[in-house]
Amino acid sequence: MFIANNNFTLLPESYLFSEVGRRIRDFKQVNPERDIIRMDIGDVSLPLPEVVVRAMTEAINEMGKSETFHGYGPEHGYSFLRDKIAATDYALRGLTHISADDIFISDGAKSDLGNLGNLFGRNLKIAIPDPGYPVYSDANIMDGNGGEEHNGLFSNIIKINSDTQNNFLPIVPEGAVDVIYLCFPNNPTGVGITRSQLTQWVEYALQHKSLIIYDSAYEAYVRNPATVRSIYEIDGAEKVAIEIRSFSKTAGFTGVRCGYTVVPESLDFNFSDGSKANLNKMWNRRQCTKFNGVGYIVQKGAEALYTAEGQQAIKSNTDYYMNNARMLREALIKKGMIVYGGEDSPYVWFRTEKGSDSWDMFDALLHQTGISSTPGIGFGKQGAGFLRLTGFNTTEMTRKAISRLNESLIDL
Ligand code: MLT
């Protein structure tokens, strides 16, 4: 008799962005004449850069001829892409200790964030930021890593809270934890982290032999030189941290699917019997077993981002979204709101005076202005009373949203 995975009964009924999408569809059904300005999920509005389209078109043509056809690709991803990532995203920024052998091409940040749990032993203490991207906790609960559940709290999941008191920078825990999820520039709050702040986490992980999973999907949005772009800027991080990156938000790959995960060869931990566990080898084993890689055409498109034209396209795309985020940030500050993000990140996070239930505010904003947001509570208890808006819509729609906010009588 088949028995289904009980852990699913412990999850919130639906995934955050599915619930957001459902409410928007319901609203649209009842109000078909209203045009909605989407500022909820971080989906981009600019198309693929031309240099990517050209490279993908060439790759499609190659795939159509027997002399240049490609079947299964190498397990880590093609070296033409991994070499360029290592050279451009790391060596060129002084991070020569990260090499192509440390890099695995992925189909985006979300899948790897969800799948890395395959490397975890049993009964680990897992520190998850609150507010935080819901995949960290949902994936661990699904995998049975949560431990005993009581009133929605899990014995093995330690929430690392952040709030206005600490400017939404999670504080290093007092006791020992085994796995730590960090995301900077942060989703949802948009705040970046400085080298000295991140050094505290790396030192903690070195001291406690903890693994840090560093979600760096928004690094291309960093503008302040004091804000960290890669955790490997911190001494010793290559012994404790996995870093996850994505081309989704930098080059319009949300629907194409490509990113990469850095699992350094120097990432040595232990199995339960004390023998050596090398996470790079384990992740390679995992990927060979459960993943057949990202398509050649897609990896060729990603490679084109490492040409001068591609790098320029990333800069101009991210500048465009950052300008939208800055406009949103300034408009909300003018309205007297307490606002975070929008400086090193495309996300703008603000507290509504009304406060305690973000879903009420989500509904009120949608109904009164036609603007869809993401409710802070969807990212954890600490998000209650906050809303997140994104700079990922077009500048025209962002301006329209700002005038709607200014004209409406909505009491945020
Ligand atoms: C977000 O809106 O938080 C992200 O777009 C979600 C994602 O990248 O999966």
Side-chain angles (χ1 to χ4, degrees):
M1 180 176 61
F2 172 77
I3 303 285
N5 180 351
N6 276 334
N7 298 318
F8 278 69
T9 64
L10 304 173
L11 291 168
E13 194 167 313
S14 57
Y15 180 59
L16 170 61
F17 291 106
S18 313
E19 176 60 17
V20 167
R22 186 191 66 74
R23 289 192 189 214
I24 296 169
R25 278 193 306 279
D26 287 356
F27 174 74
K28 192 73 189 154
Q29 205 161 25
V30 180
N31 304 280
E33 76 297 346
R34 298 282 300 276
D35 66 320
I36 294 169
I37 304 180
R38 295 289 300 256
M39 294 196 156
D40 50 279
I41 192 167
D43 200 359
V44 292
S45 53
L46 294 172
L48 290 175
E50 270 177 41
V51 66
V52 170
V53 174
R54 285 201 305 272
M56 288 173 90
T57 309
E58 267 170 41
I60 289 172
N61 289 331
E62 281 181 54
M63 294 293 275
K65 297 192 196 101
S66 50
E67 317 82 72
T68 46
F69 169 76
H70 286 80
Y72 291 125
E75 287 145 4
H76 276 234
Y78 284 99
S79 58
F80 61 71
L81 177 55
R82 289 187 296 114
D83 288 345
K84 291 189 179 94
I85 292 169
T88 311
D89 293 349
Y90 293 97
L92 212 60
R93 296 182 189 156
L95 306 177
T96 48
H97 55 308
I98 298 301
S99 80
D101 292 337
D102 301 324
I103 294 167
F104 294 80
I105 305 302
S106 72
D107 63 348
K110 189 196 231 178
S111 327
D112 279 7
L113 281 165
N115 293 329
L116 280 165
N118 281 178
L119 302 180
F120 301 179
R122 293 294 114 205
N123 268 320
L124 300 183
K125 294 283 177 219
I126 301 171
I128 295 184
D130 183 344
Y133 184 39
V135 173
Y136 311 147
S137 51
D138 283 7
N140 274 298
I141 294 167
M142 251 180 219
D143 288 352
N145 293 336
E148 295 298 314
E149 187 267 349
H150 189 62
N151 287 336
L153 296 176
F154 290 82
S155 56
N156 287 341
I157 295 183
I158 287 96
K159 292 285 182 179
I160 35 177
N161 293 340
S162 62
D163 56 26
T164 51
Q165 304 283 313
N166 48 31
N167 282 323
F168 283 103
L169 276 170
I171 310 258
V172 177
E174 301 261 304
V177 297
D178 308 304
V179 182
I180 299 159
Y181 286 81
L182 292 177
C183 173
F184 290 104
N186 189 262
N187 180 12
T189 66
V191 303
I193 192 164
T194 63
R195 284 178 193 84
S196 65
Q197 287 157 344
L198 190 55
T199 299
Q200 293 175 27
W201 285 98
V202 171
E203 282 175 356
Y204 173 96
L206 286 164
Q207 184 195 343
H208 293 278
K209 296 194 177 356
S210 334
L211 172 69
I212 297 178
I213 297 181
Y214 193 74
D215 178 356
S216 182
Y218 301 92
E219 65 80 28
Y221 288 87
V222 169
R223 295 294 181 267
N224 181 343
T227 304
V228 170
R229 293 187 73 160
S230 166
I231 195 167
Y232 305 118
E233 292 170 34
I234 311 297
D235 282 347
E238 70 285 0
K239 298 196 185 95
V240 289
I242 290 175
E243 177 162 280
I244 296 177
R245 297 246 179 116
S246 161
F247 300 113
S248 287
K249 322 286 168 146
T250 57
F253 272 54
T254 49
V256 174
R257 309 308 308 151
C258 193
Y260 63 89
T261 293
V262 184
V263 188
E265 285 185 313
S266 48
L267 218 44
D268 287 325
F269 288 86
N270 293 113
F271 291 109
S272 57
D273 65 1
S275 60
K276 187 171 130 182
N278 180 271
L279 297 199
N280 177 286
K281 286 207 175 75
M282 288 168 68
W283 188 243
N284 189 48
R285 181 72 177 81
R286 189 269 172 210
Q287 294 297 78
C288 299
T289 309
K290 295 195 183 180
F291 186 52
N292 258 334
V294 176
Y296 175 74
I297 297 161
V298 169
Q299 293 195 53
K300 274 293 186 187
E303 183 198 18
L305 292 168
Y306 291 92
T307 58
E309 189 183 343
Q311 292 290 292
Q312 183 50 42
I314 289 179
K315 172 83 172 63
S316 86
N317 275 17
T318 53
D319 279 350
Y320 178 86
Y321 297 132
M322 282 303 293
N323 184 47
N324 294 344
R326 184 190 49 74
M327 290 194 299
L328 281 170
R329 180 185 159 85
E330 286 171 5
L332 290 164
I333 289 173
K334 248 193 212 150
K335 281 181 89 65
M337 319 296 306
I338 298 176
V339 184
Y340 297 83
E343 290 177 317
D344 283 319
S345 148
Y347 293 129
V348 174
W349 173 253
F350 64 102
R351 181 156 67 187
T352 65
E353 292 306 321
K354 290 284 163 209
S356 58
D357 187 342
S358 319
W359 280 112
D360 281 356
M361 289 314 302
F362 166 92
D363 286 333
L365 193 65
L366 183 62
H367 287 248
Q368 293 186 41
T369 67
I371 299 169
S372 64
S373 59
T374 306
I377 190 84
F379 297 99
K381 283 202 174 66
Q382 298 295 115
F386 283 79
L387 289 179
R388 190 194 77 177
L389 294 178
T390 89
F392 285 126
N393 212 317
T394 61
T395 300
E396 188 194 348
M397 294 308 267
T398 306
R399 288 212 178 95
K400 201 164 170 185
I402 291 170
S403 8
R404 285 191 194 176
L405 277 172
N406 288 337
E407 281 156 22
S408 111
L409 293 177
I410 185 162
D411 191 10
L412 283 172

